[in-house]
Amino acid sequence: MNICIIGTGYVGLVTGTVFAELGNDAVCVDKVEEKIEKLNKNEMPIYEPGLEELVTRNRKEGRLTFTTDLKSAVQGAEIIFICVNTPTSDNGDSNLSYVKAAAEEIGQSMNGYKIIVNKSTVPVGTGDMVYDIVSQHYNNSHDFDVVSNPEFLREGSAVDDALNPDRIIIGAPTKQVAFRLLELYSSLEAPMIITDVYSAEIIKYASNAFLSTKISFINAIANLCEKVGADVEDVAKGIGRDPRIGQAFLNPGLGFGGSCFPKDIKSLVYTSQKFGYDFELLKNVLEINEERVAHFFGMIKSRFPNLEGKTFAVLGLSFKPNTDDMREAKSIEIIKKLTAEKAVVRVFDPVAMPAAKKLIDSVTFCASAYEACSSADAMVLITEWREFKQLNLEKIKNSMKTAVIFDGRNIYDPSRKEKMGFEYYSVGRGKWPKSS
Ligand code: UDX
């Protein structure tokens, strides 16, 4: 099938590439010329495992092209995916200006029947909005349909998630339109759920909101565990064995960041309010999440009441492992708190340092975790990259000024670290530091 993808961010680029990989002709459009130029040289705008290889292969085989020419891309396609970003302001209101602009241009470019698909995460009712805008700009205004087909891919495993989705949701005005879109996915083995457009739009938000609720729930339990001296990891294991609860997304720590959860939860609260429902539960989820950094920093302060001149090795900068994405990364907040109190901060991240350099100053960027920890008063682990689990901690201990670890993601075993001679502090596992 001939498809056109508007927007080459995470969702757009991965979607276009994966559809090309499945044998379709995919044309990806972006307004940013520099991005398109780079993509045409197989240079990726983001770090995403497996993506570069797939883009290179599908370009070479002629199924994947990149352009700034939206009009001809739309005219040559039967299915058009809108994958532009939808930033959320602090009050949760989604900025749909990019979606509106895309709909307008699609309307102006239409040359026959098309299925227009909202893949961006957009508030309920956006399908109607896109329909209205396209109609205003297209004379033959009934010759198209608008569908919601939300994307659930995670950064760091986006290609794999897109090739192996756990479900495909199609919110369409009629079954016939839904089936046409399903043909695109026919080679994937995944349950397909057909709904009306509004329900599909809500499914995406409800999924992210539910997962965020799990994270805040386990973080609240972690707080209780610290108070009573229990171990939140054991509690998570104990409750996660119940298949109705499940083990995923019960990792306590610094809470959720990234480009999706914080903005999507705010947006769902805002949209609910708009329709007359006060979503208190999700407000609490956000509050618990926002307290995580202050709580963790409190732990550091209990051990080091005066941070001035103390050296901290911050390991991990991206909002989660396997990505260089720094959006809503907890590292930024923690580093700000440390440097505000005149601590010396040395940082290392396996992938995100170039991105972090644009956002963080007053720190020393180190070439390795070992270099960052050398002569440090404490290690502060923020992102659970696999390589941090495999560090030679004996070597690190011997190079530190004081062997103290603050583990914001519970990646190490407390008793082992203590046996090694570390003062080890983590989240929701009883012991809080006493000031030295
Ligand atoms: C998320 C959704 O998972 C994905 O389906 C949707 O399409 C986009 O948003 P992503 O933001 O890439 O994906 O990351 P995810 O792996 O879900 O993690 C989100 C945040 O939650 C990260 O900051 C992560 O560190 C945190 N998290 C996750 C926890 O704190 N604990 C957990 O148990 C799981």
Side-chain angles (χ1 to χ4, degrees), residues 151-155 204 208 211 215 249-251 255-258 260-261 319-320 384 409:
E151 184 51 67
F152 299 96
L153 51 82
R154 294 162 297 174
E155 290 183 24
K204 170 68 193 204
N208 281 356
L211 293 169
I215 298 170
F249 276 67
L250 287 178
N251 299 317
F256 53 84
C260 294
F261 283 179
F319 85 93
K320 69 171 196 175
E384 65 279 30
R409 300 287 176 180

Side-chain angles (χ1 to χ4, degrees), residues 3-4 11 73 75 100 103 115 119 122 136 178 199 201 208 237 241 258-259 304 308 318 333 336 341 369 383 393 410:
I3 61 169
C4 157
V11 172
Q75 293 188 341
K100 287 181 186 161
I115 297 178
K119 221 177 206 339
V122 288
Q136 283 159 22
S199 303
E201 289 172 335
N208 281 356
K237 231 180 269 166
R241 282 283 170 191
S259 65
F304 295 102
E308 188 168 352
S318 53
E333 287 178 65
K336 260 195 202 145
E341 298 204 19
T383 317
L393 283 165
N410 290 1

Side-chain angles (χ1 to χ4, degrees), residues 218-399:
I218 201 65
N219 281 328
I221 294 288
N223 286 346
L224 176 64
C225 288
E226 282 170 11
K227 293 208 184 287
V228 302
D231 183 332
V232 68
E233 295 295 337
D234 287 340
V235 176
K237 231 180 269 166
I239 62 174
R241 282 283 170 191
D242 182 332
R244 292 168 301 175
I245 296 173
Q247 286 179 332
F249 276 67
L250 287 178
N251 299 317
L254 293 164
F256 53 84
S259 65
C260 294
F261 283 179
K263 105 174 159 56
D264 291 353
I265 312 316
K266 282 183 197 151
S267 175
L268 186 53
V269 169
Y270 182 88
T271 306
S272 305
Q273 200 77 54
K274 211 172 96 183
F275 286 96
Y277 177 61
D278 187 5
F279 216 142
E280 274 297 327
L281 171 67
L282 289 184
K283 290 185 195 164
N284 287 333
V285 166
L286 281 169
E287 259 165 42
I288 292 171
N289 195 53
E290 279 156 17
E291 279 163 6
R292 297 315 293 162
V293 166
H295 182 80
F296 185 64
F297 188 67
M299 197 184 269
I300 298 176
K301 286 282 287 184
S302 302
R303 173 62 179 79
F304 295 102
N306 180 9
L307 297 180
E308 188 168 352
K310 293 275 184 288
T311 302
F312 291 89
V314 170
L315 300 192
L317 298 171
S318 53
F319 85 93
K320 69 171 196 175
N322 300 326
T323 175
D324 64 347
D325 197 335
M326 291 292 296
R327 283 175 288 181
E328 303 260 351
K330 301 294 175 180
S331 62
I332 301 175
E333 287 178 65
I334 288 167
I335 290 169
K336 260 195 202 145
K337 284 185 181 291
L338 289 169
T339 52
E341 298 204 19
K342 301 200 167 66
V344 177
V345 178
R346 298 161 63 76
V347 306
F348 173 72
D349 186 285
V351 170
M353 301 237 276
K357 280 181 186 162
K358 295 179 194 149
L359 302 167
I360 301 172
D361 49 21
S362 328
V363 303
T364 305
F365 288 89
C366 298
S368 67
Y370 297 100
E371 192 183 309
C373 291
S374 163
S375 307
D377 290 278
M379 174 206 288
V380 181
L381 192 130
I382 308 289
T383 317
E384 65 279 30
W385 284 92
R386 184 200 284 264
E387 70 171 71
F388 296 153
K389 295 179 188 162
Q390 295 159 341
L391 289 173
N392 179 342
L393 283 165
E394 201 56 52
K395 182 173 158 189
I396 289 200
K397 192 187 81 189
N398 294 334
S399 77

Side-chain angles (χ1 to χ4, degrees), residues 71-107:
K71 189 171 181 177
S72 54
V74 165
Q75 293 188 341
E78 180 190 346
I79 301 181
I80 300 155
F81 288 91
I82 301 180
C83 300
V84 295
N85 58 342
T86 51
T88 302
S89 56
D90 280 346
N91 70 358
D93 191 7
S94 292
N95 176 350
L96 296 176
S97 56
Y98 300 117
V99 178
K100 287 181 186 161
E104 240 176 77
E105 285 191 64
I106 293 170

